[in-house]
């Protein structure tokens, strides 16, 4: 049975918050949606695009009487926003988030919430390098995976409502411990962003004239270097230990390939590359089976 949230507050009406507002409304699970944020122009655009019904720059006004509060600001901004509006939250409200790092958000947000307000963390693994409400679409989540990371204090009914919400907008939901989430995402999301930011920077630093000859391989490697720096500063800082570990291990593998290129026989190098191609095929199959 699909959930129903009559009054929804979306705090941070950008790509993800805006897309969830559109998807929830399209699926008929959201009634009235109030957007909250810090920039009037963004909020006015959200109303103009019919992403939200109304807006406020005061999160207290948005959360008072809400059944569901969605935190969709950068991960380090979530707790300060909750600290601003916690007094206006009423018992029975479910607070969820869409942040790309789960341990940091759980530890920062849950202790701030008053009794009777349940927090259920979520990470819809969907998105693009675009940001802002203009990039929001109702079908962003369809066919993708969402990880929910309940904490020790999450109410079972709230967990099942949040799960049902993401399923209703077309996602396959998995439940996971926040630390497991953060270590896995360090490899398959945060590391690719590190590589994209670093590759763009390295070419610019060492051989900027080569940019004119860049083809599809460079463009696909660096696509996500167009992502919002504000969003990614927070992800890198909030998951820095796991990301540093993944980068260290990655560098060891790059060093191994460098050695194979410089010192191995062509047959040995070929075997190394065949191993990577097989890993890539397995990874593609695994991500398709996940859907
Ligand atoms: P976005 O498009 O830049 O939207 C963020 C929104 O939050 C903007 O409307 C921004 O307002 C607002 N905001 C930022 N800081 C704020 C603050 N301190 N107080 C109030 N409002 C604030 O970013 P996004 O891609 O939707 O990311 C939002 C969350 O989703 C992040 O936690 C991110 O980790 C997570 N996420 C992102 C992706 C992805 O692929 N992009 C995927 C899954 C999850 P302004 O208009 O003033 O800038």
């Amino acid at each position: 049975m699909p959930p129903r949230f009559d009054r929804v507050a979306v705090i941070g009406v950008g790509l993800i918050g805006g897309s969830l507002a559109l998807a929830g409304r399209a699926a008929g699970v959201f009634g009235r949606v109030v957007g909250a944020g810090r920039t009037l122009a963004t909020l006015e655009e959200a109303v103009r695009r019919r992403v939200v019904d109304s807006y406020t720059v005061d999160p207290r006004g948005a959360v008072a009487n809400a059944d569901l509060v969605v935190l969709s600001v950068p991960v380090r901004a979530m707790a300060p926003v909750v600290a601003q509006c916690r007094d206006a939250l009423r018992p029975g409200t479910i607070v969820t988030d869409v942040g790309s790092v789960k341990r940091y958000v759980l530890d920062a947000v849950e202790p701030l919430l008053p009794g009777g307000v349940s927090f259920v963390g979520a990470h819809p693994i969907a998105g693009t390098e675009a940001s802002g409400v203009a990039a929001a679409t109702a079908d962003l989540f369809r066919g993708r995976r969402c990880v929910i990371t309940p904490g020790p204090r999450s109410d079972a009914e709230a967990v099942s409502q949040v799960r049902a919400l993401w399923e209703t907008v077309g996602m396959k939901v998995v439940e996971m411990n926040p630390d497991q989430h953060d270590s896995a995402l360090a490899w398959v999301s945060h590391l690719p962003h590190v590589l994209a930011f670093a590759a763009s920077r390295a070419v610019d630093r060492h051989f900027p004239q080569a940019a004119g000859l860049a083809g599809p391989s460079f463009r696909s490697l660096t696509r996500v270097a167009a992502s919002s720096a504000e969003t990614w500063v927070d992800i890198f800082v909030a998951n820095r230990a796991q990301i540093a570990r993944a980068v260290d291990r990655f560098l060891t593998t790059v060093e191994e390939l460098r050695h194979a290129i410089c010192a191995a026989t062509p047959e040995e190098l070929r075997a190394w590359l065949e191993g990577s191609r097989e890993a890539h095929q397995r990874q593609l199959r695994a991500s398709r089976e996940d859907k």
Side-chain angles (χ1 to χ4, degrees):
M1 168 116 162
R4 173 76 191 172
F5 301 101
D6 287 325
R7 287 153 306 186
V8 179
V10 174
I11 306 191
V13 194
L15 171 68
I16 304 295
S19 295
L20 182 58
L22 287 170
R25 281 148 69 98
V29 290
F30 286 177
R32 194 167 174 76
V33 182
V34 181
R38 61 181 176 184
T39 307
L40 264 182
T42 301
L43 297 168
E44 281 164 3
E45 185 176 6
V47 170
R48 206 166 46 245
R49 289 175 177 271
R50 299 179 195 279
V51 173
V52 296
D53 295 296
S54 60
Y55 68 81
T56 169
V57 287
D58 175 9
R60 292 173 52 88
V63 306
N65 299 317
D67 303 308
L68 178 73
V69 174
V70 181
L71 305 173
S72 40
V73 295
V75 288
R76 287 192 315 146
M78 289 179 181
V81 161
V82 171
Q84 258 181 288
C85 63
R86 59 195 284 196
D87 297 347
L89 285 162
R90 63 175 175 87
T93 299
I94 297 174
V95 178
T96 187
D97 80 296
V98 299
S100 307
V101 179
K102 303 311 329 162
R103 168 57 62 191
Y104 178 93
V105 172
L106 177 67
D107 288 353
V109 167
E110 199 174 53
L112 298 175
L113 297 176
V117 175
S118 197
F119 179 69
V120 184
H123 177 202
I125 305 178
T128 71
E129 67 279 19
S131 56
V133 68
T137 58
D139 61 358
L140 184 73
F141 307 112
R142 194 146 296 286
R144 311 301 298 271
R145 210 172 207 220
C146 180
V147 181
I148 58 171
T149 53
R153 287 171 45 198
S154 301
D155 168 72
E157 177 55 25
V159 174
S160 87
Q161 294 260 314
V162 169
R163 170 184 277 273
L165 166 63
W166 289 109
E167 286 173 349
T168 305
V169 298
M171 302 197 91
K172 179 175 175 183
V173 176
V174 287
E175 210 171 298
M176 212 179 261
N177 168 292
D179 300 307
Q180 282 176 321
H181 166 278
D182 292 351
S183 65
L185 270 289
W187 278 100
V188 296
S189 171
H190 309 168
L191 179 64
H193 282 78
V194 169
L195 301 189
F197 286 122
S200 290
R201 174 61 69 99
V203 169
D204 192 55
R205 182 175 290 164
H206 299 291
F207 204 160
Q209 306 86 327
L213 297 175
S217 58
F218 186 73
R219 278 201 293 277
S220 53
L221 173 68
T222 57
R223 178 181 59 83
V224 294
S227 302
S228 155
E230 185 178 40
T231 299
W232 280 91
V233 164
D234 280 20
I235 295 169
F236 287 166
V237 170
N239 200 29
R240 57 164 49 119
Q242 304 275 17
I243 295 171
R245 198 167 303 130
V247 169
D248 288 345
R249 290 180 179 175
F250 176 76
L251 290 176
T252 309
T253 311
V254 171
E255 200 46 55
E256 193 182 298
L257 177 56
R258 182 185 184 283
H259 180 77
I261 292 168
C262 297
T265 64
E267 292 70 28
E268 287 167 338
L269 176 56
R270 180 180 174 143
W272 205 100
L273 298 181
E274 292 292 358
S276 295
R277 292 186 74 227
E278 284 162 20
H280 177 62
Q281 293 305 321
R282 283 195 298 277
Q283 288 153 6
L284 284 185
R285 277 197 301 277
S287 67
R288 275 191 218 109
E289 281 158 14
D290 277 352
K291 288 185 182 164

